[in-house]
Amino acid sequence: MAQRRSCKAVSTCEEAVEMWCGGYSRADGDDDGIPCENVCRSLSQVEAIKKKVGC
């Protein structure tokens, strides 16, 4: 069984975006388009990563 992930478990914004794109909708709790704000700082950063990972 897959280990449940959380924003506390990721160390980079790229990991956070991959987890979010993989279905962990709670990563973006305030619904502003930026998952795991402990590691992701800006919407432009998130958009660039989404494009890179094909999300």
Side-chain angles (χ1 to χ4, degrees):
M1 194 167 112
Q3 178 180 333
R4 185 170 209 140
R5 308 243 349 204
S6 69
C7 285
K8 290 185 179 104
V10 298
S11 56
T12 67
C13 187
E14 190 161 330
E15 287 177 23
V17 171
E18 287 174 359
M19 180 177 69
W20 186 40
C21 290
Y24 184 68
S25 59
R26 288 182 58 208
D28 183 19
D30 61 2
D31 219 17
D32 64 355
I34 304 172
C36 300
E37 291 175 28
N38 58 319
V39 289
C40 294
R41 299 288 176 222
S42 70
L43 191 55
S44 58
Q45 178 189 26
V46 171
E47 291 299 325
I49 294 169
K50 283 172 72 176
K51 191 176 287 188
K52 179 181 160 191
V53 299
C55 171

Short mmCIF file of all heavy atoms in Angstrom, two decimals:
data_model
loop_
_atom_site.label_atom_id
_atom_site.label_comp_id
_atom_site.label_asym_id
_atom_site.label_seq_id
_atom_site.Cartn_x
_atom_site.Cartn_y
_atom_site.Cartn_z
N MET A 1 0.84 -1.20 0.00
CA MET A 1 0.00 0.00 0.00
C MET A 1 0.88 1.25 0.00
O MET A 1 1.89 1.30 0.69
CB MET A 1 -0.89 -0.01 1.23
CG MET A 1 -2.02 0.99 1.16
SD MET A 1 -3.22 0.65 2.45
CE MET A 1 -2.99 2.09 3.45
N ALA A 2 0.49 2.24 -0.76
CA ALA A 2 1.29 3.47 -0.87
C ALA A 2 1.25 4.23 0.44
O ALA A 2 0.22 4.30 1.12
CB ALA A 2 0.74 4.33 -1.99
N GLN A 3 2.38 4.79 0.77
CA GLN A 3 2.48 5.61 1.98
C GLN A 3 1.75 6.92 1.74
O GLN A 3 1.88 7.54 0.71
CB GLN A 3 3.96 5.87 2.26
CG GLN A 3 4.20 6.74 3.46
CD GLN A 3 5.70 6.97 3.68
OE1 GLN A 3 6.51 6.14 3.31
NE2 GLN A 3 6.04 8.07 4.28
N ARG A 4 0.97 7.32 2.71
CA ARG A 4 0.26 8.58 2.59
C ARG A 4 1.27 9.73 2.72
O ARG A 4 2.05 9.75 3.65
CB ARG A 4 -0.81 8.68 3.67
CG ARG A 4 -1.64 9.92 3.50
CD ARG A 4 -2.84 9.88 4.41
NE ARG A 4 -3.87 10.63 3.76
CZ ARG A 4 -5.13 10.31 3.73
NH1 ARG A 4 -5.54 9.24 4.34
NH2 ARG A 4 -6.00 11.06 3.12
N ARG A 5 1.24 10.65 1.80
CA ARG A 5 2.19 11.76 1.80
C ARG A 5 1.51 13.01 2.34
O ARG A 5 0.30 13.12 2.33
CB ARG A 5 2.68 12.03 0.37
CG ARG A 5 3.19 10.79 -0.29
CD ARG A 5 4.61 10.72 -0.69
NE ARG A 5 5.38 11.93 -0.63
CZ ARG A 5 6.46 12.14 -1.34
NH1 ARG A 5 6.84 11.24 -2.20
NH2 ARG A 5 7.15 13.23 -1.23
N SER A 6 2.33 13.94 2.75
CA SER A 6 1.81 15.22 3.21
C SER A 6 2.82 16.30 2.88
O SER A 6 3.96 16.01 2.53
CB SER A 6 1.57 15.18 4.72
OG SER A 6 2.81 15.13 5.41
N CYS A 7 2.41 17.54 3.02
CA CYS A 7 3.32 18.64 2.73
C CYS A 7 4.53 18.61 3.65
O CYS A 7 5.62 19.01 3.26
CB CYS A 7 2.59 19.97 2.83
SG CYS A 7 1.50 20.26 1.42
N LYS A 8 4.35 18.12 4.87
CA LYS A 8 5.49 18.03 5.79
C LYS A 8 6.51 17.00 5.31
O LYS A 8 7.67 17.07 5.69
CB LYS A 8 5.00 17.65 7.19
CG LYS A 8 4.24 18.75 7.88
CD LYS A 8 3.90 18.36 9.30
CE LYS A 8 3.16 19.47 10.00
NZ LYS A 8 1.74 19.21 10.13
N ALA A 9 6.09 16.06 4.46
CA ALA A 9 6.97 14.99 4.01
C ALA A 9 7.82 15.38 2.80
O ALA A 9 8.77 14.69 2.48
CB ALA A 9 6.15 13.74 3.68
N VAL A 10 7.46 16.47 2.12
CA VAL A 10 8.22 16.86 0.93
C VAL A 10 9.26 17.92 1.29
O VAL A 10 9.06 18.71 2.20
CB VAL A 10 7.31 17.37 -0.21
CG1 VAL A 10 6.36 16.27 -0.67
CG2 VAL A 10 6.55 18.62 0.18
N SER A 11 10.36 17.90 0.53
CA SER A 11 11.42 18.87 0.82
C SER A 11 11.63 19.86 -0.32
O SER A 11 12.35 20.84 -0.14
CB SER A 11 12.73 18.14 1.13
OG SER A 11 13.07 17.28 0.07
N THR A 12 11.01 19.61 -1.47
CA THR A 12 11.13 20.55 -2.58
C THR A 12 9.76 20.84 -3.18
O THR A 12 8.82 20.04 -3.05
CB THR A 12 12.02 19.98 -3.71
OG1 THR A 12 11.35 18.86 -4.30
CG2 THR A 12 13.39 19.57 -3.20
N CYS A 13 9.68 21.97 -3.85
CA CYS A 13 8.43 22.33 -4.51
C CYS A 13 8.11 21.33 -5.61
O CYS A 13 6.95 21.00 -5.82
CB CYS A 13 8.52 23.75 -5.06
SG CYS A 13 6.95 24.38 -5.71
N GLU A 14 9.14 20.83 -6.30
CA GLU A 14 8.89 19.85 -7.36
C GLU A 14 8.20 18.60 -6.81
O GLU A 14 7.24 18.10 -7.40
CB GLU A 14 10.19 19.49 -8.07
CG GLU A 14 9.95 18.69 -9.32
CD GLU A 14 11.13 18.68 -10.29
OE1 GLU A 14 11.89 19.65 -10.33
OE2 GLU A 14 11.25 17.67 -10.99
N GLU A 15 8.66 18.11 -5.66
CA GLU A 15 8.00 16.96 -5.03
C GLU A 15 6.55 17.29 -4.68
O GLU A 15 5.66 16.47 -4.86
CB GLU A 15 8.73 16.56 -3.74
CG GLU A 15 10.05 15.89 -3.92
CD GLU A 15 10.73 15.61 -2.57
OE1 GLU A 15 10.04 15.52 -1.55
OE2 GLU A 15 11.95 15.50 -2.56
N ALA A 16 6.34 18.49 -4.18
CA ALA A 16 4.99 18.90 -3.80
C ALA A 16 4.07 18.94 -5.00
O ALA A 16 2.93 18.46 -4.94
CB ALA A 16 5.04 20.27 -3.12
N VAL A 17 4.56 19.51 -6.10
CA VAL A 17 3.74 19.61 -7.32
C VAL A 17 3.43 18.21 -7.86
O VAL A 17 2.30 17.92 -8.24
CB VAL A 17 4.42 20.49 -8.39
CG1 VAL A 17 3.68 20.42 -9.72
CG2 VAL A 17 4.50 21.94 -7.90
N GLU A 18 4.42 17.33 -7.87
CA GLU A 18 4.19 15.96 -8.35
C GLU A 18 3.14 15.25 -7.49
O GLU A 18 2.27 14.56 -8.01
CB GLU A 18 5.49 15.18 -8.36
CG GLU A 18 6.43 15.62 -9.47
CD GLU A 18 7.80 14.96 -9.41
OE1 GLU A 18 8.06 14.15 -8.50
OE2 GLU A 18 8.62 15.25 -10.30
N MET A 19 3.21 15.44 -6.19
CA MET A 19 2.25 14.82 -5.28
C MET A 19 0.85 15.40 -5.53
O MET A 19 -0.14 14.68 -5.60
CB MET A 19 2.69 15.08 -3.83
CG MET A 19 1.77 14.50 -2.79
SD MET A 19 2.38 14.76 -1.12
CE MET A 19 2.20 16.54 -0.94
N TRP A 20 0.78 16.71 -5.69
CA TRP A 20 -0.48 17.41 -5.94
C TRP A 20 -1.08 16.95 -7.26
O TRP A 20 -2.26 16.62 -7.33
CB TRP A 20 -0.21 18.91 -5.93
CG TRP A 20 -1.38 19.81 -6.04
CD1 TRP A 20 -2.60 19.66 -5.43
CD2 TRP A 20 -1.46 21.03 -6.76
NE1 TRP A 20 -3.41 20.72 -5.75
CE2 TRP A 20 -2.73 21.57 -6.56
CE3 TRP A 20 -0.55 21.72 -7.56
CZ2 TRP A 20 -3.14 22.78 -7.14
CZ3 TRP A 20 -0.96 22.91 -8.12
CH2 TRP A 20 -2.24 23.44 -7.91
N CYS A 21 -0.25 16.89 -8.30
CA CYS A 21 -0.73 16.43 -9.62
C CYS A 21 -1.16 14.97 -9.58
O CYS A 21 -2.01 14.55 -10.35
CB CYS A 21 0.36 16.63 -10.66
SG CYS A 21 0.67 18.35 -11.06
N GLY A 22 -0.56 14.22 -8.66
CA GLY A 22 -0.89 12.82 -8.52
C GLY A 22 -2.17 12.56 -7.75
O GLY A 22 -2.54 11.42 -7.52
N GLY A 23 -2.85 13.62 -7.34
CA GLY A 23 -4.16 13.44 -6.73
C GLY A 23 -4.27 13.87 -5.28
O GLY A 23 -5.34 13.76 -4.70
N TYR A 24 -3.19 14.35 -4.69
CA TYR A 24 -3.27 14.80 -3.29
C TYR A 24 -3.78 16.23 -3.26
O TYR A 24 -3.01 17.19 -3.18
CB TYR A 24 -1.90 14.67 -2.61
CG TYR A 24 -1.91 15.03 -1.13
CD1 TYR A 24 -2.59 14.22 -0.22
CD2 TYR A 24 -1.26 16.15 -0.66
CE1 TYR A 24 -2.63 14.54 1.12
CE2 TYR A 24 -1.29 16.47 0.69
CZ TYR A 24 -1.97 15.67 1.57
OH TYR A 24 -2.01 16.00 2.91
N SER A 25 -5.10 16.38 -3.36
CA SER A 25 -5.70 17.72 -3.50
C SER A 25 -5.52 18.57 -2.24
O SER A 25 -5.52 19.80 -2.32
CB SER A 25 -7.18 17.60 -3.83
OG SER A 25 -7.86 16.87 -2.82
N ARG A 26 -5.36 17.93 -1.09
CA ARG A 26 -5.20 18.70 0.15
C ARG A 26 -3.88 19.47 0.20
O ARG A 26 -3.69 20.31 1.08
CB ARG A 26 -5.28 17.77 1.36
CG ARG A 26 -6.70 17.26 1.60
CD ARG A 26 -6.78 16.37 2.83
NE ARG A 26 -6.33 17.08 4.02
CZ ARG A 26 -5.78 16.48 5.07
NH1 ARG A 26 -5.62 15.19 5.09
NH2 ARG A 26 -5.41 17.19 6.12
N ALA A 27 -2.97 19.20 -0.77
CA ALA A 27 -1.70 19.93 -0.81
C ALA A 27 -1.95 21.44 -0.96
O ALA A 27 -1.19 22.25 -0.45
CB ALA A 27 -0.83 19.42 -1.94
N ASP A 28 -3.04 21.79 -1.65
CA ASP A 28 -3.39 23.20 -1.84
C ASP A 28 -4.63 23.51 -1.01
O ASP A 28 -5.72 23.71 -1.52
CB ASP A 28 -3.64 23.50 -3.32
CG ASP A 28 -3.93 24.98 -3.58
OD1 ASP A 28 -3.61 25.80 -2.72
OD2 ASP A 28 -4.48 25.29 -4.64
N GLY A 29 -4.44 23.55 0.30
CA GLY A 29 -5.56 23.70 1.23
C GLY A 29 -6.34 25.00 1.09
O GLY A 29 -7.54 25.03 1.30
N ASP A 30 -5.67 26.09 0.72
CA ASP A 30 -6.38 27.37 0.60
C ASP A 30 -6.80 27.68 -0.84
O ASP A 30 -7.30 28.75 -1.13
CB ASP A 30 -5.56 28.52 1.19
CG ASP A 30 -4.22 28.72 0.51
OD1 ASP A 30 -3.91 27.99 -0.46
OD2 ASP A 30 -3.46 29.60 0.95
N ASP A 31 -6.59 26.71 -1.74
CA ASP A 31 -7.11 26.79 -3.12
C ASP A 31 -6.59 28.00 -3.90
O ASP A 31 -7.32 28.58 -4.69
CB ASP A 31 -8.64 26.80 -3.07
CG ASP A 31 -9.24 25.97 -4.19
OD1 ASP A 31 -8.51 25.15 -4.78
OD2 ASP A 31 -10.43 26.16 -4.49
N ASP A 32 -5.33 28.36 -3.68
CA ASP A 32 -4.77 29.50 -4.39
C ASP A 32 -3.86 29.09 -5.54
O ASP A 32 -3.22 29.92 -6.17
CB ASP A 32 -4.01 30.43 -3.44
CG ASP A 32 -2.79 29.78 -2.81
OD1 ASP A 32 -2.55 28.57 -3.03
OD2 ASP A 32 -2.07 30.48 -2.08
N GLY A 33 -3.79 27.78 -5.81
CA GLY A 33 -2.98 27.28 -6.91
C GLY A 33 -1.53 26.98 -6.53
O GLY A 33 -0.74 26.61 -7.38
N ILE A 34 -1.20 27.17 -5.26
CA ILE A 34 0.16 26.90 -4.79
C ILE A 34 0.10 25.80 -3.74
O ILE A 34 -0.38 26.02 -2.63
CB ILE A 34 0.81 28.16 -4.18
CG1 ILE A 34 0.79 29.32 -5.18
CG2 ILE A 34 2.24 27.86 -3.74
CD1 ILE A 34 1.24 30.64 -4.60
N PRO A 35 0.57 24.58 -4.10
CA PRO A 35 0.55 23.49 -3.12
C PRO A 35 1.71 23.62 -2.14
O PRO A 35 2.76 24.19 -2.48
CB PRO A 35 0.72 22.25 -3.99
CG PRO A 35 1.55 22.73 -5.13
CD PRO A 35 1.10 24.14 -5.39
N CYS A 36 1.54 23.11 -0.96
CA CYS A 36 2.61 23.02 0.03
C CYS A 36 3.43 24.31 0.13
O CYS A 36 4.59 24.36 -0.26
CB CYS A 36 3.53 21.83 -0.29
SG CYS A 36 2.68 20.24 -0.28
N GLU A 37 2.81 25.32 0.67
CA GLU A 37 3.46 26.63 0.72
C GLU A 37 4.68 26.66 1.64
O GLU A 37 5.41 27.65 1.66
CB GLU A 37 2.43 27.70 1.08
CG GLU A 37 1.46 27.89 -0.09
CD GLU A 37 0.33 28.85 0.18
OE1 GLU A 37 0.49 29.75 1.00
OE2 GLU A 37 -0.73 28.67 -0.45
N ASN A 38 4.91 25.56 2.36
CA ASN A 38 6.15 25.46 3.14
C ASN A 38 7.37 25.30 2.22
O ASN A 38 8.48 25.65 2.60
CB ASN A 38 6.08 24.31 4.16
CG ASN A 38 5.81 22.95 3.52
OD1 ASN A 38 5.00 22.84 2.61
ND2 ASN A 38 6.46 21.92 3.99
N VAL A 39 7.17 24.79 0.99
CA VAL A 39 8.28 24.63 0.05
C VAL A 39 8.06 25.38 -1.28
O VAL A 39 9.02 25.70 -1.96
CB VAL A 39 8.60 23.14 -0.24
CG1 VAL A 39 9.23 22.48 0.96
CG2 VAL A 39 7.37 22.39 -0.71
N CYS A 40 6.82 25.63 -1.65
CA CYS A 40 6.52 26.36 -2.89
C CYS A 40 6.22 27.81 -2.55
O CYS A 40 5.37 28.08 -1.71
CB CYS A 40 5.33 25.75 -3.61
SG CYS A 40 5.62 24.09 -4.23
N ARG A 41 6.91 28.72 -3.22
CA ARG A 41 6.80 30.13 -2.86
C ARG A 41 5.90 30.96 -3.76
O ARG A 41 5.36 31.96 -3.32
CB ARG A 41 8.20 30.77 -2.82
CG ARG A 41 9.12 30.14 -1.82
CD ARG A 41 8.73 30.51 -0.40
NE ARG A 41 9.56 29.82 0.57
CZ ARG A 41 9.10 29.27 1.68
NH1 ARG A 41 7.83 29.32 1.96
NH2 ARG A 41 9.91 28.67 2.51
N SER A 42 5.79 30.58 -5.04
CA SER A 42 5.03 31.44 -5.95
C SER A 42 4.28 30.62 -6.99
O SER A 42 4.66 29.50 -7.31
CB SER A 42 5.96 32.41 -6.66
OG SER A 42 6.77 31.71 -7.58
N LEU A 43 3.24 31.23 -7.51
CA LEU A 43 2.44 30.58 -8.55
C LEU A 43 3.27 30.37 -9.81
O LEU A 43 3.16 29.33 -10.46
CB LEU A 43 1.20 31.43 -8.85
CG LEU A 43 0.13 30.80 -9.72
CD1 LEU A 43 -0.35 29.48 -9.14
CD2 LEU A 43 -1.04 31.75 -9.88
N SER A 44 4.15 31.31 -10.14
CA SER A 44 4.96 31.16 -11.34
C SER A 44 5.92 29.97 -11.20
O SER A 44 6.17 29.23 -12.16
CB SER A 44 5.73 32.44 -11.66
OG SER A 44 6.55 32.82 -10.58
N GLN A 45 6.46 29.77 -10.00
CA GLN A 45 7.32 28.61 -9.73
C GLN A 45 6.53 27.32 -9.94
O GLN A 45 7.00 26.40 -10.61
CB GLN A 45 7.85 28.69 -8.29
CG GLN A 45 8.72 27.52 -7.89
CD GLN A 45 9.04 27.51 -6.39
OE1 GLN A 45 8.28 28.04 -5.58
NE2 GLN A 45 10.15 26.92 -6.03
N VAL A 46 5.34 27.26 -9.40
CA VAL A 46 4.49 26.08 -9.51
C VAL A 46 4.12 25.81 -10.96
O VAL A 46 4.20 24.67 -11.43
CB VAL A 46 3.21 26.24 -8.64
CG1 VAL A 46 2.21 25.12 -8.92
CG2 VAL A 46 3.57 26.27 -7.16
N GLU A 47 3.75 26.85 -11.71
CA GLU A 47 3.38 26.69 -13.12
C GLU A 47 4.56 26.15 -13.93
O GLU A 47 4.39 25.29 -14.79
CB GLU A 47 2.89 28.02 -13.71
CG GLU A 47 1.55 28.48 -13.15
CD GLU A 47 0.41 27.52 -13.42
OE1 GLU A 47 0.38 26.89 -14.49
OE2 GLU A 47 -0.47 27.38 -12.54
N ALA A 48 5.77 26.64 -13.67
CA ALA A 48 6.96 26.17 -14.38
C ALA A 48 7.20 24.69 -14.11
O ALA A 48 7.52 23.92 -15.03
CB ALA A 48 8.16 27.00 -13.99
N ILE A 49 7.03 24.27 -12.87
CA ILE A 49 7.23 22.87 -12.51
C ILE A 49 6.15 22.00 -13.14
O ILE A 49 6.44 20.91 -13.65
CB ILE A 49 7.30 22.69 -10.97
CG1 ILE A 49 8.54 23.39 -10.42
CG2 ILE A 49 7.28 21.21 -10.60
CD1 ILE A 49 8.56 23.51 -8.91
N LYS A 50 4.90 22.47 -13.12
CA LYS A 50 3.81 21.71 -13.74
C LYS A 50 4.11 21.46 -15.21
O LYS A 50 3.90 20.37 -15.72
CB LYS A 50 2.48 22.44 -13.56
CG LYS A 50 1.91 22.30 -12.17
CD LYS A 50 0.69 23.17 -11.97
CE LYS A 50 -0.52 22.68 -12.70
NZ LYS A 50 -1.72 23.49 -12.42
N LYS A 51 4.61 22.48 -15.89
CA LYS A 51 4.94 22.33 -17.31
C LYS A 51 6.07 21.33 -17.49
O LYS A 51 6.04 20.47 -18.36
CB LYS A 51 5.33 23.70 -17.88
CG LYS A 51 5.44 23.73 -19.38
CD LYS A 51 5.74 25.13 -19.89
CE LYS A 51 4.52 26.03 -19.76
NZ LYS A 51 4.71 27.33 -20.40
N LYS A 52 7.07 21.41 -16.61
CA LYS A 52 8.24 20.53 -16.69
C LYS A 52 7.86 19.06 -16.46
O LYS A 52 8.35 18.18 -17.15
CB LYS A 52 9.27 20.99 -15.65
CG LYS A 52 10.52 20.14 -15.60
CD LYS A 52 11.46 20.67 -14.54
CE LYS A 52 12.45 19.62 -14.12
NZ LYS A 52 13.21 20.00 -12.94
N VAL A 53 6.99 18.80 -15.48
CA VAL A 53 6.63 17.42 -15.16
C VAL A 53 5.42 16.92 -15.94
O VAL A 53 5.02 15.77 -15.80
CB VAL A 53 6.41 17.21 -13.63
CG1 VAL A 53 7.65 17.54 -12.86
CG2 VAL A 53 5.22 17.99 -13.11
N GLY A 54 4.84 17.79 -16.75
CA GLY A 54 3.72 17.38 -17.59
C GLY A 54 2.43 17.16 -16.81
O GLY A 54 1.73 16.17 -16.99
N CYS A 55 2.12 18.10 -15.97
CA CYS A 55 0.91 17.99 -15.14
C CYS A 55 -0.20 18.83 -15.73
O CYS A 55 -0.03 19.99 -15.98
CB CYS A 55 1.25 18.47 -13.74
SG CYS A 55 -0.17 18.64 -12.67
#
